[in-house]
Amino acid sequence: MPKIVDHDERRREVLSAARRVIVRDGIDAATTRAIAKEAGYSNGVLAHYFADKDEILLSALRQSHQRIRERLTRKTEGATGLAALRELLLDNLPLDAERTQETRLEVSFWSRSLASERLAEVQRAEAAELRDAVRTLLGEARAAGELTTDENLDDITERLLALVDGLSLHLLLYPGRLARVDMERLMLSTLDHL
Amino acid sequence: MPKIVDHDERRREVLSAARRVIVRDGIDAATTRAIAKEAGYSNGVLAHYFADKDEILLSALRQSHQRIRERLTRKTEGATGLAALRELLLDNLPLDAERTQETRLEVSFWSRSLASERLAEVQRAEAAELRDAVRTLLGEARAAGELTTDENLDDITERLLALVDGLSLHLLLYPGRLARVDMERLMLSTLDHL
């Protein structure tokens, strides 16, 4: 009897393995061989599911974003405007172990994207989605009279997103200087002053 | 007659070559071989000046920071408080070709530092220097009555530095979304609201 292979399951396993290697050893170390070894498959099996290393890396990034989106949908259920925006922005900060791993993955992709137009395109598309979500919630907040600032909403959006990435990066790079509690306080006080 | 070799000049040439390779092709592509080729030297000559690739990369980062420091000293000469802070923060944004290359170099090192404690240590030391400079200027600004906010200066410092790195990153990653003029406006309006 032929062995029944769950192809979706295998793909997910390979992508989880890729994420673990990137987060643990850095994106440079995430070779096809290292990912195959971590997943417990041969290079041949990987080649069956993914055209090349870039496709594995891109799929791993997309899979991570999909998990974030699902978690966020749960967290913001029923919320609108400033309350939903607060949840969304805090969720994007490395405030626990799971999100710290997600942030390490993102930071790893930033520099790689500067050298690869294919990765950069995916990052731009995913980032545009987050930008639109923030902009929409700011619009709701203003319509509901929750904002005191009259600054234009596109500018506020860009500033908030820059702050999220900057704080996240600094927490990873300078753990002795910035603690999670500081990062959360800085983000919340920024929102309180909108 | 033996050829007279200017060793300092050779070291600088190798480091400039390393910077060009990182900025153009990404930090993954900056192998000892690629750097030697770019500099027009043999691998043996490189080995004479640097113990390994990490030492070349670290020296290239330090050389870049030294150039930034010298430029900044010229720009802030005679200025104090908020005026000097404005110069310092704007100088850290990729507002022209030279600073865009510097920013690309920084972003390349971020992810590499997450996987290398040796690089991370250097980054932390250099970042601490910038942090102290911002904190000192904010102290001068408050003492001179230039700030309206009563928020604590350490928090303002961290927020400004996060904003600098976040905006710089987004300009490189999302050039169609954020232009230099937007980035400059966002930074200046942030300072105006202090």
Side-chain angles (χ1 to χ4, degrees):
Chain A
M1 215 175 83
K3 213 166 86 180
I4 295 169
V5 174
D6 182 337
H7 292 292
D8 284 349
E9 177 60 24
R10 275 210 175 163
R11 267 185 73 96
R12 274 195 300 272
E13 277 174 29
V14 172
L15 297 181
S16 296
R19 280 210 315 273
R20 287 196 301 275
V21 173
I22 296 170
V23 166
R24 188 184 61 221
D25 306 325
I27 198 164
D28 305 341
T31 58
T32 311
R33 183 190 298 254
I35 295 167
K37 193 178 165 212
E38 174 80 21
Y41 292 124
S42 69
N43 283 356
V45 168
L46 256 68
H48 182 72
Y49 293 102
F50 300 96
D52 55 22
K53 191 176 83 165
D54 263 11
E55 200 193 315
I56 301 181
L57 296 181
L58 277 175
S59 305
L61 184 68
R62 285 207 189 94
Q63 192 198 45
S64 173
H65 289 171
Q66 185 54 33
R67 283 157 45 112
I68 296 171
R69 264 193 295 270
E70 287 165 11
R71 183 178 65 219
L72 196 60
T73 304
R74 288 195 302 276
K75 281 190 182 178
T76 56
E77 210 190 327
T80 57
L82 207 49
L85 182 64
R86 194 176 290 124
E87 287 295 334
L88 186 152
L89 294 177
L90 289 180
D91 188 74
N92 265 273
L93 294 174
L95 288 169
D96 58 23
E98 182 182 345
R99 285 175 285 163
T100 299
Q101 300 229 329
E102 289 165 0
T103 304
R104 286 181 76 95
L105 194 75
E106 292 300 321
V107 174
S108 300
F109 274 91
W110 291 343
S111 69
R112 184 62 72 109
S113 294
L114 294 184
S116 158
E117 188 47 37
R118 192 170 156 213
L119 283 180
E121 258 179 45
V122 172
Q123 277 225 317
R124 279 198 286 270
E126 307 263 328
E129 208 181 299
L130 178 61
R131 191 210 163 279
D132 292 347
V134 170
R135 179 65 180 73
T136 300
L137 293 175
L138 279 171
E140 288 179 10
R142 177 159 285 168
E146 294 175 328
L147 305 184
T148 53
T149 174
D150 57 2
E151 194 182 9
N152 99 53
L153 298 183
D154 291 321
D155 280 2
I156 303 178
T157 302
E158 293 300 343
R159 193 185 285 112
L160 289 174
L161 290 170
L163 197 58
V164 164
D165 280 345
L167 288 173
S168 299
L169 173 73
H170 291 180
L171 187 88
L172 296 192
L173 289 182
Y174 320 127
R177 179 172 122 186
L178 199 68
R180 282 177 179 154
V181 60
D182 301 319
M183 189 173 62
E184 187 170 17
R185 185 185 65 246
L186 285 166
M187 183 49 73
L188 289 174
S189 78
T190 302
L191 291 171
D192 285 346
H193 284 87
L194 287 182
Chain B
M1 213 175 80
K3 214 166 85 180
I4 295 170
V5 174
D6 182 337
H7 292 293
D8 283 349
E9 176 60 24
R10 273 209 178 164
R11 266 185 73 95
R12 275 195 299 274
E13 278 174 31
V14 171
L15 297 181
S16 296
R19 281 210 315 274
R20 287 196 301 276
V21 173
I22 296 170
V23 167
R24 188 184 62 220
D25 306 326
I27 198 163
D28 305 340
T31 58
T32 310
R33 183 190 299 255
I35 295 167
K37 193 178 166 211
E38 175 79 21
Y41 292 124
S42 68
N43 283 356
V45 169
L46 256 68
H48 181 73
Y49 293 101
F50 301 96
D52 56 21
K53 191 177 81 165
D54 263 11
E55 199 194 317
I56 301 180
L57 297 180
L58 277 175
S59 304
L61 184 68
R62 285 208 190 92
Q63 192 197 47
S64 173
H65 288 172
Q66 184 55 31
R67 283 155 47 112
I68 295 171
R69 263 193 295 270
E70 287 165 9
R71 185 179 64 219
L72 197 61
T73 304
R74 288 195 302 276
K75 281 190 181 177
T76 57
E77 210 191 327
T80 57
L82 208 49
L85 182 65
R86 193 177 290 123
E87 286 297 333
L88 185 152
L89 294 177
L90 288 179
D91 187 75
N92 265 273
L93 295 174
L95 288 168
D96 58 24
E98 182 182 344
R99 285 175 286 165
T100 299
Q101 299 227 331
E102 289 164 1
T103 304
R104 286 180 76 96
L105 193 75
E106 292 299 322
V107 175
S108 299
F109 274 92
W110 292 343
S111 69
R112 184 61 72 112
S113 294
L114 293 184
S116 159
E117 188 47 37
R118 191 169 157 213
L119 284 180
E121 258 178 45
V122 172
Q123 278 225 316
R124 278 199 287 270
E126 307 262 329
E129 207 182 299
L130 179 61
R131 191 211 163 277
D132 291 346
V134 170
R135 178 64 179 73
T136 300
L137 294 175
L138 279 171
E140 288 179 11
R142 177 158 286 169
E146 294 176 329
L147 305 185
T148 54
T149 175
D150 57 3
E151 194 181 10
N152 100 53
L153 298 183
D154 291 321
D155 280 1
I156 303 178
T157 301
E158 292 301 343
R159 193 184 286 111
L160 289 174
L161 290 170
L163 197 58
V164 163
D165 279 345
L167 288 173
S168 299
L169 173 73
H170 290 179
L171 187 89
L172 295 193
L173 289 182
Y174 320 128
R177 180 173 123 186
L178 198 67
R180 283 178 177 152
V181 60
D182 302 319
M183 190 174 59
E184 187 171 17
R185 186 185 65 248
L186 285 167
M187 183 49 74
L188 289 174
S189 79
T190 301
L191 291 171
D192 285 345
H193 284 87
L194 287 182

